[in-house]
Amino acid sequence: MLKAKFLTLCASTLFISASAQTPKLGVDPIEKVINAMTLDEKLNVLIGSAGNVKSDATATIGSSAELVPGAAGQLNAIPRLGIPATVVADGPAGLRIKPTREGTSKTFYCTHFPIETVMSSTWNVDLVGQIGAAMGDEVKHYGVDVLLAPATNIHRNPLNGRNFEYYSEDPLLSGKICAAMVNGVQSNGVGTSLKHFALNNQETNRTSNNVIGTPRTFREIYLKPFEIVVKEAQPWTVMTSYNKVNGTMTSERSDLITEILRHEWGFKGMVMTDWFGGQHATLQMEAGNDLLMPGKLSQREELKKAVLNGHLSMEIIDRNVKHILEYILKTPRFKGYVADNNPDLKAHAVVTRNAALEGMVLLKNLKNTLPIKSNVKNVAVFGRTSYDFIAGGTGSGDVNHAYVVSLIDGLKNAGFNIDNSLKSSYEAYIPEATAKMPKSTSQFAAFLPKHLIPEMDLSNVNMQKVAKDNDVAIITIGKTSGEFADRYISDNFNLTAAEKKMISDVCTSFHKVGKKVVVILNVCGVVETKSWIDAPDAVITAWLPGQEGGNSVSDILVGKESPSGRLPMTWPASYNDVPSKADFPTPDDISDDQLTEALKGFADVRTEGSRKNFDYTEYNEGVYVGYRYYTTKNVPVSYPFGYGLSYTNFKYGKPSVTTDTKGDITVKVEVKNTGKVAGKEVVQTYVSAPGKDMDKPVRELKAFAKTRKLNPGESEMITMTIPYESLASFNETASQWQVEGGQYTVMVAKNAADMKPLTSTVNIEGKVTEAVRPSLLPEQK
């Protein structure tokens, strides 16, 4: 009996001893877990699960997770320490994973939500939060821990191929809408990865391009939306961008990642690279880039050698491991959540339909052409995109959805009769033209922008009969874009000759018999309008509105809701008017050899050279981005930032503008619906600074709000707050944020170019709001 007790006691002692020697994450302090790790285990944490892959990007691009097929990446598990593998997946318009899996007939489709530009066009932070919540619900149900989104880079130039994944040309609108999205997604107990940090504003040679600019430009325009999101939403992770900034890769800049992101802004999460981002693993670790994704064998070898040779301190390694373990502790997978792979896709389809509707922008509505009158039943539908509606962009911003509602389907669902003869012509043309399109042989074909088929020649269509037989004509113009390449001016920013001819011919035929023509812009971003906008009676920008796009457009057409979207960027009259045109690639002139060279750079090859706008890009326009340039320089535009029409009218009362003891400005204004239908209004407040201390734009957006849906005759008092600190500009010489003292003009306006805003003046006392360490300084030659 004593022997048995002795053996039991020994066994218990051994068990306790073993447990004490092997700490577990979540049970023991993180520091204790880190101290128990071998160097190889620490490297397993710091390098993604593809860390044993020798080949380049093609082996893992966008899909290196085993736990969730089609997810972009996975972190390694260390079972003996209680560290599970966690999964990260794209994307900005909805979760991107494989829709089918081996061994099961079950499908794993995700909702294709509207693109980020649609979200910013709503100017509705509450709505965007709801979209984020729905998106995050799918992330959790499908067993993903972090959504690699949202992205909040600035729309510096309308040709950027990835603008559809970004919000706006304005840092305040970008930051506020993005923060709402992060909070919405993370309300599900899953994480986000705020990207691409920072200055990823062109796709051409993005992995090697050197962005050259000043600290003021960077801080006031390009870093500001990231700052807003970090301070208001604390994303779980931040993803560094591919490009260089003033000569150094972003993932290798400690002043960007550690000084600005962590010390100045108070970021508490984990920092990861974009896939194959950066160049030197050791420098990335030192800079504070915790996680290298998707992970390469060469990175593991480099780091291990650097530690063993004393070139990389274990303190740096442990610091970064700690950030990653802190992230893991928050994940559903660590908490034992088991994915059921059964999100409510039907409910989310309703959410995306309503969200897209609120983000659509009515550009033109001659003589109340819209909404379409109830007696209109027969519709002639033109444009290949009407029959093959574009839900979103390509690349990591794409979503594997179950369906897309075309405009044709949406119109049918709304009760319209579609001209069958015209429909049959398009349905015969589209597959035939698609088959003739050259097939890409690029290993990155799935990520490159799609080349759309040409518009159908209407010479064989009896336009006189079509106009006679139908009550209205609807034309859809489609443009899309994606990763690795920027938009062509000739056929993506500008409409093609065939598209302009189609608009002209249809308008001529229908106007002859007194009938209206409506143009739908199913586009990825800004398009030129000046050369053709006079012809149609109404124009709606639907953007890339997600899988319910045809229904959303039809809801607007019939007046189910009044349009309340407003442009989140300026639409210039011509590309020649864009302030950065000389300092941005011209994709039409990029040779196939250059494109191939840039694509190779995605994995390992980094270019060096002196080719302007390829090897380097100068931000010579400074803070004069978008409307800041057009309004200050008095350059006419087709449609200004913040523009959008409605089916109703709104009247503003006299604004009340006051300041408190902290210097915060409060703006109150009553908004009344004076029209005949219910609708929502976007209230925009701009501020003009004295401009004596340093050069400043004539007006900058400092606050905005959206009313609830107001019935005819109904009013709402809108209150907006402008924090004192948001009035500060960055003084490069002293490396400090400072508010200029003097008289400020506060303008409540319909858009950035509103010539009759409701104005008030306030006197502001000047002072320094924050002194910081010099960072992001120009490269010294």
Side-chain angles (χ1 to χ4, degrees):
M1 189 69 177
L2 287 172
K3 184 177 182 181
K5 287 184 177 180
F6 177 74
L7 291 174
T8 301
L9 180 62
C10 287
S12 299
T13 303
L14 287 172
F15 177 76
I16 293 171
S17 177
S19 298
Q21 292 175 1
T22 310
K24 298 290 185 182
L25 184 65
V27 176
D28 299 284
I30 285 181
E31 289 74 12
K32 194 170 183 180
V33 175
I34 294 173
N35 290 336
M37 297 171 73
T38 66
L39 176 57
D40 284 330
E41 286 174 331
K42 290 177 180 180
L43 296 179
N44 276 345
V45 171
L46 297 172
I47 299 173
S49 63
N52 60 349
V53 174
K54 295 182 181 180
S55 59
D56 63 15
T58 56
T60 56
I61 182 170
S63 181
S64 63
E66 296 176 355
L67 291 172
V68 180
Q74 190 169 303
L75 279 69
N76 291 307
I78 306 178
R80 80 176 187 90
L81 297 172
I83 301 172
T86 58
V87 178
V88 299
D90 297 324
L95 184 65
R96 190 174 72 87
I97 58 176
K98 284 184 179 178
T100 58
R101 297 177 187 176
E102 293 182 7
T104 178
S105 60
K106 178 180 172 63
T107 57
F108 303 82
Y109 289 109
C110 299
T111 303
H112 200 154
F113 294 93
I115 62 172
E116 289 190 355
T117 302
V118 176
M119 295 294 91
S120 57
S121 297
T122 70
W123 292 63
N124 188 336
V125 292
D126 292 335
L127 175 65
V128 173
Q130 294 167 21
I131 299 300
M135 203 179 292
D137 180 71
E138 294 188 18
V139 172
K140 188 168 185 178
H141 273 285
Y142 279 130
V144 172
D145 297 286
V146 167
L147 185 70
L148 299 174
T152 191
N153 296 94
I154 290 292
H155 289 206
R156 174 178 179 252
N157 185 289
L159 300 187
N160 182 12
R162 222 164 170 182
N163 273 350
F164 73 93
E165 288 191 53
Y166 305 150
Y167 290 106
S168 173
E169 70 185 23
D170 179 76
L172 178 69
L173 181 61
S174 296
K176 292 290 186 178
I177 297 293
C178 186
M181 179 63 74
V182 169
N183 282 323
V185 172
Q186 294 189 168
S187 67
N188 293 275
V190 296
T192 58
S193 189
L194 182 65
K195 64 183 188 182
H196 304 92
F197 189 61
L199 292 133
N200 189 169
N201 304 108
Q202 73 180 55
E203 286 300 290
T204 300
N205 198 30
R206 66 183 185 183
T207 57
S208 299
N209 180 256
N210 182 22
V211 172
I212 299 173
T214 66
R216 182 190 177 196
T217 297
F218 295 158
R219 285 179 175 272
E220 289 191 22
I221 303 296
Y222 298 96
L223 298 188
K224 183 58 69 173
F226 290 96
E227 179 182 359
I228 292 171
V229 178
V230 167
K231 290 181 176 179
E232 296 187 4
Q234 276 294 336
W236 286 14
T237 79
V238 167
M239 181 189 293
T240 49
S241 57
Y242 286 122
N243 51 282
K244 300 173 185 175
V245 173
N246 284 337
T248 303
M249 293 283 177
T250 60
S251 59
E252 299 172 8
R253 291 204 72 118
S254 59
D255 57 356
L256 180 66
I257 301 170
T258 298
E259 183 60 34
I260 293 176
L261 179 62
R262 292 197 184 277
H263 294 167
E264 290 185 24
W265 301 348
F267 177 63
K268 305 299 183 185
M270 174 185 76
V271 178
M272 69 170 78
T273 64
D274 204 339
W275 269 227
F276 300 98
Q279 195 166 13
H280 306 101
T282 302
L283 296 179
Q284 290 172 314
M285 287 293 108
E286 290 176 338
N289 198 116
D290 307 305
L291 177 65
L292 307 181
M293 291 298 286
K296 293 187 292 186
L297 182 62
S298 60
Q299 291 171 324
R300 173 184 292 277
E301 293 170 345
E302 178 188 335
L303 291 180
K304 190 169 186 177
K305 183 178 179 181
V307 171
L308 295 177
N309 289 343
H311 297 148
L312 178 61
S313 74
M314 192 58 73
E315 286 79 8
I316 294 292
I317 293 289
D318 290 350
R319 176 197 67 180
N320 295 357
V321 168
K322 182 174 183 287
H323 292 152
I324 297 173
L325 295 183
E326 288 172 339
Y327 143 73
I328 292 173
L329 283 170
K330 296 189 289 188
T331 61
R333 191 160 267 101
F334 176 81
K335 295 177 179 179
Y337 174 78
V338 179
D340 61 14
N341 293 308
N342 193 32
D344 192 346
L345 296 180
K346 288 185 178 180
H348 294 168
V350 175
V351 172
T352 188
R353 176 174 179 169
N354 293 334
L357 188 155
E358 190 157 335
M360 293 183 183
V361 182
L362 181 62
L363 294 182
K364 180 181 180 181
N365 195 22
L366 189 65
K367 296 181 179 179
N368 296 320
T369 296
L370 297 176
I372 295 175
K373 307 303 183 283
S374 59
N375 62 340
V376 171
K377 296 297 180 184
N378 301 320
V379 181
V381 184
F382 296 86
R384 43 109 160 92
T385 316
S386 296
Y387 301 83
D388 187 17
F389 218 62
I390 308 171
T394 59
S396 58
D398 202 357
V399 179
N400 291 313
H401 45 254
Y403 65 88
V404 175
V405 178
S406 70
L407 182 61
I408 293 295
D409 293 333
L411 292 171
K412 285 180 179 177
N413 294 338
F416 291 106
N417 303 316
I418 309 300
D419 187 294
N420 279 323
S421 176
L422 188 60
K423 178 173 175 283
S424 297
S425 297
Y426 275 101
E427 289 177 341
Y429 166 75
I430 290 172
E432 181 181 322
T434 301
K436 293 179 180 177
M437 291 289 288
K439 301 295 186 292
S440 175
T441 58
S442 171
Q443 58 188 347
F444 303 103
F447 282 70
L448 287 168
K450 295 177 181 176
H451 290 286
L452 303 180
I453 61 174
E455 279 298 344
M456 185 177 76
D457 185 356
L458 298 178
S459 60
N460 293 324
V461 175
N462 187 336
M463 292 296 291
Q464 185 176 357
K465 184 176 185 304
V466 172
K468 178 176 178 293
D469 292 346
N470 292 282
D471 302 317
V472 67
I474 297 178
I475 303 169
T476 304
I477 300 295
K479 305 289 180 186
T480 189
S481 63
E483 292 192 56
F484 294 107
D486 294 307
R487 299 171 62 196
Y488 287 160
I489 299 173
S490 57
D491 64 0
N492 201 302
F493 177 82
N494 293 335
L495 269 58
T496 64
E499 289 167 334
K500 290 181 182 179
K501 187 175 189 303
M502 174 177 62
I503 293 172
S504 176
D505 290 350
V506 172
C507 288
T508 298
S509 298
F510 274 73
H511 289 166
K512 273 184 180 179
V513 292
K515 296 175 181 178
K516 303 292 182 68
V517 178
V518 179
V519 170
I520 309 297
L521 296 175
N522 180 201
V523 295
C524 55
V526 180
V527 295
E528 187 274 336
T529 60
K530 186 177 181 181
S531 64
W532 58 269
I533 198 75
D534 289 341
D537 301 282
V539 178
I540 295 175
T541 301
W543 310 110
L544 306 182
Q547 68 185 46
E548 287 283 328
N551 283 332
S552 301
V553 172
S554 298
D555 288 343
I556 287 286
L557 291 174
V558 301
K560 183 178 178 181
E561 295 286 347
S562 175
S564 63
R566 301 293 182 264
L567 294 178
M569 80 294 278
T570 306
W571 285 39
S574 164
Y575 184 70
N576 287 330
D577 294 331
V578 174
S580 60
K581 66 180 181 299
D583 295 299
F584 192 86
T586 304
D588 307 61
D589 298 335
I590 300 289
S591 68
D592 290 342
D593 289 342
Q594 281 181 297
L595 181 59
T596 300
E597 178 185 354
L599 289 174
K600 286 180 180 178
F602 177 67
D604 294 305
V605 181
R606 300 290 180 257
T607 64
E608 296 285 347
S610 57
R611 291 165 293 184
K612 184 177 180 180
N613 301 331
F614 188 84
D615 296 309
Y616 72 94
T617 301
E618 295 176 320
Y619 284 34
N620 287 315
E621 71 279 6
V623 299
Y624 291 94
V625 177
Y627 73 86
R628 286 169 167 79
Y629 167 77
Y630 297 107
T631 56
T632 302
K633 304 300 181 183
N634 292 313
V635 177
V637 300
S638 288
Y639 295 102
F641 172 84
Y643 176 88
L645 301 176
S646 173
Y647 293 159
T648 189
N649 299 303
F650 296 94
K651 183 179 180 181
Y652 292 7
K654 183 178 180 181
S656 166
V657 180
T658 58
T659 58
D660 62 16
T661 55
K662 296 186 297 182
D664 295 348
I665 302 172
T666 298
V667 180
K668 294 184 178 181
V669 62
E670 186 178 54
V671 180
K672 183 177 182 179
N673 183 346
T674 58
K676 297 180 179 179
V677 299
K680 298 179 181 180
E681 172 71 338
V682 174
V683 183
Q684 304 165 41
T685 298
Y686 298 84
V687 170
S688 176
K692 296 178 181 178
D693 290 356
M694 62 180 77
D695 189 40
K696 296 182 182 180
V698 295
R699 60 175 70 177
E700 296 182 281
L701 183 73
K702 292 300 179 183
F704 65 90
K706 195 165 194 175
T707 68
R708 65 178 186 272
K709 186 192 289 187
L710 300 177
N711 291 317
E714 190 176 7
S715 300
E716 180 179 0
M717 181 64 73
I718 295 295
T719 300
M720 294 165 285
T721 300
I722 303 172
Y724 178 82
E725 291 76 12
S726 71
L727 301 175
S729 295
F730 190 72
N731 183 326
E732 294 176 348
T733 303
S735 195
Q736 63 189 24
W737 290 93
Q738 60 189 49
V739 175
E740 179 183 15
Q743 189 176 81
Y744 285 69
T745 302
V746 179
M747 297 167 275
V748 177
K750 295 280 189 178
N751 55 66
D754 188 348
M755 299 306 294
K756 295 181 179 180
L758 301 173
T759 63
S760 183
T761 58
V762 291
N763 289 312
I764 298 294
E765 183 179 345
K767 70 175 183 180
V768 173
T769 59
E770 184 181 13
V772 297
R773 292 183 179 180
S775 299
L776 306 177
L777 300 177
E779 186 178 10
Q780 298 298 310
K781 297 291 187 182

